[in-house]
Amino acid sequence: MALINCPKCGKQISDQGPICPGCMTPMAQLLSPKTSPQPPRTAEGMYTYCQENRLGSGISKSWDLKHLRLIAEAFAPNEQVLAVFIGFHNYISATQHDNIFAYAVTNKRFILAQKKLIGSIFQTISLENVNDVTLNTSFLKGIVTVDTIKETFNVKCADVKSAENIYHAVHAALERVKQKGSGVSGGDLTTQLTELKELLRAGLITQRDYESKKRQLLGL
């Protein structure tokens, strides 16, 4: 968990909360980087998307495309791509890592893939098994850590900005799936919470009623 300043109202908040208590904006909207609405499904499209939005890169374009093709070829017809990125897998140090992997978060799963000279690695993780995603940065590098029920792995990114973008993109993707599963879209939730806050400000409901209804909307 990290404390960040809300991009919308400036209030210091936890990045793990469902909304900003200051402006009532869902965290998925606040953490989502300014990228195109949805990553493409082709290897070439995903590679360009990563480059344009600083979502990591590998040793060379040709190898990045090989990793991404493993993912693209595995997409189901109705599978929606929510986030995609590239980085050093299981990074511990400059000499201890599993080299470059490509990653994707869809509405169904978390995908990891690496093409090798001989063979390949392809792994999927149910989104229900993802416990947490955290970000650690220093002056020269950024590392995104994904904690799941079975394992925890680090992804070392090309630079700090890329790590921040990847962290926000993954969080936004997971929150989007969570909201869709609850039957409340980000836009609908924002509208309802805003209207609720206006009722409180107008004195039409009590603070207790406001807190109770807010928790109900957020499924807490």
Side-chain angles (χ1 to χ4, degrees), residues 103-124:
Y103 309 80
V105 181
T106 76
N107 59 324
K108 298 179 180 294
R109 52 187 172 161
F110 199 124
I111 305 173
L112 304 75
Q114 181 192 58
K115 179 66 177 176
K116 295 174 172 289
L117 288 174
I118 300 177
S120 61
I121 296 175
F122 186 88
Q123 180 182 354
T124 65

Side-chain angles (χ1 to χ4, degrees), residues 84 129 131 190 202:
V84 59
N129 293 337
N131 295 324
T190 302

Side-chain angles (χ1 to χ4, degrees), residues 15-16 27-28 31-33 35 39 49 55 82-86 102-107 109-111 127 130-135 144-148 153 155 157 162-178:
D15 64 352
Q16 299 296 304
M27 194 60 63
L31 295 182
S32 180
T35 60
Y49 183 87
L55 293 168
L82 304 178
V84 59
F85 57 98
I86 301 167
Y103 309 80
V105 181
T106 76
N107 59 324
R109 52 187 172 161
F110 199 124
I111 305 173
L127 297 183
V130 178
N131 295 324
D132 197 12
V133 179
T134 55
L135 172 67
V144 175
T145 300
V146 180
D147 177 46
T148 75
F153 58 86
V155 180
C157 308
S162 295
E164 292 174 344
N165 288 347
I166 290 169
Y167 168 75
H168 294 326
V170 173
H171 259 285
L174 295 175
E175 186 64 25
R176 185 174 174 183
V177 172
K178 180 180 177 181

